[in-house]
Amino acid sequence: MTRYLAGVITATAALGVGTWLLLAPYALDYPSGGTASDVDLWTGAGVCALSLITIVVWVRAWRTRLRDDGLLPERPVPQPGVPEEPPVPAATEPTIEDLHSLLKPLVTALAADQLEYAAQKAGRPTEERR
Amino acid sequence: MSRLGIIGIGLLFATGIWLVAAPFVTGQQPDGTTWTAATRNDVIAGALLTLLGFAGFFTALAGHIADLYARGAGPSVPQ
């Protein structure tokens, strides 16, 4: 862990130095257009860019190490071999045909029950009256 | 990945050395005269950057080597 921390701290402090180099020509009132001003601005820009890249590299390395040690949850990686689930089709409005096809078996079953009941009633009229 | 980080710190160290040398290399600070504010600033900032790079480089390198030991790489057999 020490090396990651050392890397991040060093690069962050260097970012501070780079920022100061960018500001120094104005803060210390360098002669405008002089070599000193150019050197500080270009070097400061380079140090800032290099520091930012170095910070990103160290932070990524640290995160990778923490994942390897099981201290950070694994990032879900999409696997190229596994096909993705097909998209669920959008729900459509039910039509009257859907309603008919849904109710038809129910109505048929009810009609059959009714016929059977009527047949039983006709066959045993006395029992029903009791 | 951390090898790239060590290279980055090494480059920061080299930039610090450049910054210390820059006023004299570019001729903005003539020999034998009092240092200007720009020269003083460059030398101090460069020294700071060099020191940071030096400390960071060797701390990171020491951590890298400590990890190699911790991983249990056995001693190499002399041939």
Side-chain angles (χ1 to χ4, degrees), chain B residues 35-60:
Chain B
W35 283 8
T36 61
T39 303
R40 220 176 301 128
N41 179 59
D42 281 2
V43 170
I44 291 171
L48 194 62
L49 206 55
T50 306
L51 198 66
L52 274 172
F54 187 84
F57 181 85
F58 283 104
T59 308

Side-chain angles (χ1 to χ4, degrees), chain B residues 2-73:
Chain B
S2 65
R3 193 171 294 168
L4 277 178
I6 291 176
I7 291 171
I9 292 177
L11 286 175
L12 287 173
F13 173 78
T15 311
I17 291 177
W18 154 248
L19 210 53
V20 171
F24 310 102
V25 171
T26 57
Q28 57 176 292
Q29 175 61 48
D31 289 339
T33 57
T34 313
W35 283 8
T36 61
T39 303
R40 220 176 301 128
N41 179 59
D42 281 2
V43 170
I44 291 171
L48 194 62
L49 206 55
T50 306
L51 198 66
L52 274 172
F54 187 84
F57 181 85
F58 283 104
T59 308
L61 194 64
H64 185 68
I65 292 169
D67 274 3
L68 288 180
Y69 274 111
R71 244 179 257 159

Side-chain angles (χ1 to χ4, degrees), chain A residues 51-66:
Chain A
S51 306
L52 285 172
I53 293 169
T54 309
I55 288 172
V56 169
V57 166
W58 278 112
V59 167
R60 283 174 66 98
W62 200 353
R63 285 173 66 91
T64 306
R65 177 64 188 270
L66 287 175

